[in-house]
Amino acid sequence: MDNQEASEAINALSLKDSSSKPPISTSQIMNNQEGSEAIDALSLKASSSDTSIATSQMSVEERFKIIRNIGEECIQEDELMDMLAKKPQPICYDGFEPSGRMHIAQGVLKALNVNKLTSAGCKVKIWIADWFAQLNNKMGGDLKKIEVVGEYLIELWKSVGMNLEGGQVEFLWSSKEINSRAHEYWPLVMDIARRNKLPRIKNSLSSAKRISQLLLTCFFFILRCCQIMGRSEQDELTAAQIFYPCMQCADIFFLKADICQLGMDH
């Protein structure tokens, strides 16, 4: 699917911008100095061979600085530094629900962040959470429409300059990956669901130093599941939406992620 086809497909779904303001045109973006500089930065991407050479010449401290730069918050910076010293190509996890039109931050900023991560030697796995979007009733729960939106988002990231050369960025559809490795995925989900209750999670947070970083991240996922799904605590949740955070926790282990690039609400 090329850019024009993706645009036509998304228009056919009658998707409306959630903002009351009219969408910003490309010319308006380019007339904005910051937007122009961001897009210029994306266009200055190195080839895969150049990136590989540059990464091998970087010190651990330089790689840490690049990776740390993309996050407002980093839990256990010493663990990140130690991991970079031991692992030349850490796996970064970044997931999204295909649920509508792409806004500037989601498009340009994500591409910038992914390019920074790959420049520091990371492999980025972008989890296209089509099943999660269906669980969360996005696009009316219509999986075919959700898939069209997912393709549209991928094409836009390519257009704004996300560096996909060298195989350092991998787009993975959750439905396909889970179906192909169901024997690995569902036991993880069931184990997380069986072991965790909200009262226990709250108590566990007080002894965070004794909990592994990945497990602590999972606790935060479940504790804040309403925020992650764009719901409030007052919303009436379906059983599918309650199941959602357990699956999202399992994703981290399933993808063998070392770094979880997530929003502050996660």
Side-chain angles (χ1 to χ4, degrees), residues 87 89-96 123-129 132 170-174 177-178 181 184-185 188 214 247-260 262:
K87 194 166 186 177
Q89 190 179 53
I91 295 174
C92 299
Y93 158 84
D94 189 348
F96 72 95
K123 181 179 180 64
V124 181
K125 293 185 177 182
I126 299 181
W127 191 239
I128 309 172
F132 292 78
E170 190 175 9
F171 290 100
L172 300 171
W173 292 83
S174 67
E177 295 299 317
I178 292 171
R181 295 164 55 196
E184 297 178 45
Y185 187 80
L188 283 172
L214 280 178
M247 292 174 63
Q248 195 168 33
C249 291
D251 292 344
I252 298 172
F253 298 99
F254 184 66
L255 297 174
K256 296 179 171 56
D258 300 301
I259 299 171
C260 298
L262 304 167

Side-chain angles (χ1 to χ4, degrees), residues 139-163:
M139 306 305 301
D142 188 324
L143 194 57
K144 290 184 178 179
K145 290 183 179 180
I146 291 168
E147 289 174 355
V148 171
V149 177
E151 293 285 357
Y152 151 79
L153 294 173
I154 292 172
E155 291 302 322
L156 283 179
W157 281 318
K158 290 178 181 178
S159 298
V160 298
M162 184 179 287
N163 189 358

Side-chain angles (χ1 to χ4, degrees), residues 85-253:
K86 295 177 180 177
K87 194 166 186 177
Q89 190 179 53
I91 295 174
C92 299
Y93 158 84
D94 189 348
F96 72 95
E97 285 186 8
S99 58
R101 291 188 185 277
M102 181 183 285
H103 52 75
I104 293 175
Q106 184 184 21
V108 176
L109 187 59
K110 185 184 289 288
L112 282 168
N113 286 343
V114 167
N115 288 355
K116 287 179 182 179
L117 289 169
T118 56
S119 73
C122 297
K123 181 179 180 64
V124 181
K125 293 185 177 182
I126 299 181
W127 191 239
I128 309 172
D130 51 347
W131 267 6
F132 292 78
Q134 187 179 41
L135 285 173
N136 205 9
N137 203 34
K138 298 297 177 66
M139 306 305 301
D142 188 324
L143 194 57
K144 290 184 178 179
K145 290 183 179 180
I146 291 168
E147 289 174 355
V148 171
V149 177
E151 293 285 357
Y152 151 79
L153 294 173
I154 292 172
E155 291 302 322
L156 283 179
W157 281 318
K158 290 178 181 178
S159 298
V160 298
M162 184 179 287
N163 189 358
L164 304 180
E165 297 177 7
Q168 286 181 279
V169 179
E170 190 175 9
F171 290 100
L172 300 171
W173 292 83
S174 67
S175 57
K176 294 178 182 178
E177 295 299 317
I178 292 171
N179 277 332
S180 66
R181 295 164 55 196
H183 63 290
E184 297 178 45
Y185 187 80
W186 293 114
L188 283 172
V189 175
M190 292 171 66
D191 192 46
I192 290 168
R194 181 177 61 85
R195 290 174 179 270
N196 294 289
K197 297 178 182 178
L198 288 179
R200 179 184 175 189
I201 292 168
K202 291 177 181 178
N203 292 334
S204 298
L205 294 178
S206 63
S207 56
K209 291 183 179 179
R210 298 196 301 271
I211 304 172
S212 72
Q213 190 54 50
L214 280 178
L215 193 56
L216 181 59
T217 303
C218 289
F219 287 160
F220 274 113
F221 274 151
I222 296 176
L223 191 62
R224 298 183 178 182
C225 64
C226 291
Q227 294 176 335
I228 293 169
M229 293 186 291
R231 311 288 179 179
S232 70
E233 294 180 0
Q234 287 73 35
D235 288 343
E236 185 176 350
L237 301 179
T238 65
Q241 289 165 329
I242 294 172
F243 201 49
Y244 182 114
C246 296
M247 292 174 63
Q248 195 168 33
C249 291
D251 292 344
I252 298 172
F253 298 99

Side-chain angles (χ1 to χ4, degrees), residues 1-154:
M1 179 181 290
D2 60 24
N3 297 342
Q4 184 176 356
E5 289 175 338
S7 179
E8 290 173 353
I10 207 73
N11 287 332
L13 296 177
S14 299
L15 297 175
K16 296 182 179 179
D17 191 342
S18 59
S19 172
S20 59
K21 298 180 180 180
I24 300 173
S25 67
T26 304
S27 60
Q28 286 176 300
I29 296 171
M30 294 305 296
N31 288 333
N32 179 280
Q33 184 177 357
E34 292 182 359
S36 180
E37 289 174 354
I39 293 173
D40 287 343
L42 285 168
S43 66
L44 298 175
K45 57 183 183 180
S47 67
S48 57
S49 58
D50 291 341
T51 301
S52 177
I53 294 171
T55 302
S56 65
Q57 295 174 344
M58 285 184 186
S59 66
V60 172
E61 289 75 15
E62 288 172 325
R63 294 172 64 207
F64 173 85
K65 185 176 180 180
I66 292 172
I67 295 171
R68 181 64 185 87
N69 176 258
I70 71 170
E72 183 174 341
E73 178 183 75
C74 177
I75 303 172
Q76 302 293 347
E77 291 188 351
D78 55 336
E79 288 189 8
L80 176 59
M81 180 74 80
D82 185 59
M83 185 266 295
L84 291 175
K86 295 177 180 177
K87 194 166 186 177
Q89 190 179 53
I91 295 174
C92 299
Y93 158 84
D94 189 348
F96 72 95
E97 285 186 8
S99 58
R101 291 188 185 277
M102 181 183 285
H103 52 75
I104 293 175
Q106 184 184 21
V108 176
L109 187 59
K110 185 184 289 288
L112 282 168
N113 286 343
V114 167
N115 288 355
K116 287 179 182 179
L117 289 169
T118 56
S119 73
C122 297
K123 181 179 180 64
V124 181
K125 293 185 177 182
I126 299 181
W127 191 239
I128 309 172
D130 51 347
W131 267 6
F132 292 78
Q134 187 179 41
L135 285 173
N136 205 9
N137 203 34
K138 298 297 177 66
M139 306 305 301
D142 188 324
L143 194 57
K144 290 184 178 179
K145 290 183 179 180
I146 291 168
E147 289 174 355
V148 171
V149 177
E151 293 285 357
Y152 151 79
L153 294 173
I154 292 172

